[in-house]
Amino acid sequence: MTSFTMSSIDVLESNVLKSDMLYIMRHGKTDWNAEHRLQGHTDIPLNDEGRKMAQRAAEEYKDVHFDVCFCSPLIRAKETAQILLSGRNVPIEIDERLIEMSFGVFEGAAHVFKLPDCPIKNLFLHPEKYTVPVEGGERFEDVFARTNAFMNEKVEPLLQQGKDVLIVGHGALNSCIVAQIKKLPIEKLWSEDMENCKLMRLR
């Protein structure tokens, strides 16, 4: 687990100035989001609505200071970060460890909650029971391991230097980071709402 200690975790409303902070954001909407399809590692771009969401976020959070942005390698996250930070002198660093959790053979599947006996439903409904991943998928332990290594290697040293750090990632990926920071049990993994293009303060 990361050694971070958090005093609060909030979704920022707008135009809030902060300093020495850690923030996280989920990418804007994609066509697969709209169709309720699992995306995972599949590289789906933002749709027009997702780009508009990122543009609104750029205006809403224009007064929030960032020294550096770490971003998933997937295009939906990269596009979100680029739009959000357009015209700002904030470097965007891609880190492979911030890729979304893999949902294996179920990537592209729509409305999985409606599928009878669908094994990946436990990932969302009972994450503590999702101990054997679907074919080609990741375990939560895998995602925790790579995000914990990323946080300790990249983020913690910058926070110790007083830098303001932004992470742009994905729903499951971000939830795993938040769970580690807040030391949530796996049963509470989905307790923090990961809205598209909403900035969450973690420190």
Side-chain angles (χ1 to χ4, degrees), residues 34-155:
E35 296 165 4
H36 302 284
R37 296 184 184 276
L38 295 182
Q39 296 182 108
H41 285 192
T42 307
D43 208 3
I44 307 299
L46 298 181
N47 59 18
D48 288 341
E49 182 181 358
R51 295 183 186 97
K52 290 176 182 177
M53 292 174 76
Q55 289 165 356
R56 288 194 296 269
E59 175 63 24
E60 184 174 1
Y61 304 121
K62 64 184 179 182
D63 294 323
V64 181
H65 178 262
F66 309 116
D67 288 297
V68 63
C69 170
F70 292 103
C71 185
S72 161
L74 296 176
I75 187 62
R76 57 190 182 270
K78 290 194 291 186
E79 219 178 339
T80 299
Q82 289 163 357
I83 295 171
L84 176 72
L85 300 172
S86 177
R88 300 179 62 170
N89 188 27
V90 179
I92 300 173
E93 181 176 332
I94 305 302
D95 195 297
E96 296 293 329
R97 292 170 293 188
L98 295 179
I99 196 169
E100 176 62 304
M101 184 177 189
S102 174
F103 304 128
V105 295
F106 281 90
E107 292 189 7
H111 299 283
V112 295
F113 297 115
K114 297 180 181 180
L115 300 177
D117 302 317
C118 178
I120 206 165
K121 283 196 289 188
N122 271 344
L123 187 151
F124 300 101
L125 299 178
H126 304 287
E128 72 280 4
K129 297 180 181 179
Y130 189 74
T131 55
V132 178
V134 297
E135 181 183 344
E138 281 185 286
R139 303 172 304 162
F140 283 116
E141 289 86 347
D142 300 324
V143 185
F144 287 142
R146 60 179 166 87
T147 53
N148 186 50
F150 160 77
M151 296 294 283
N152 284 323
E153 292 172 18
K154 293 294 188 79
V155 174

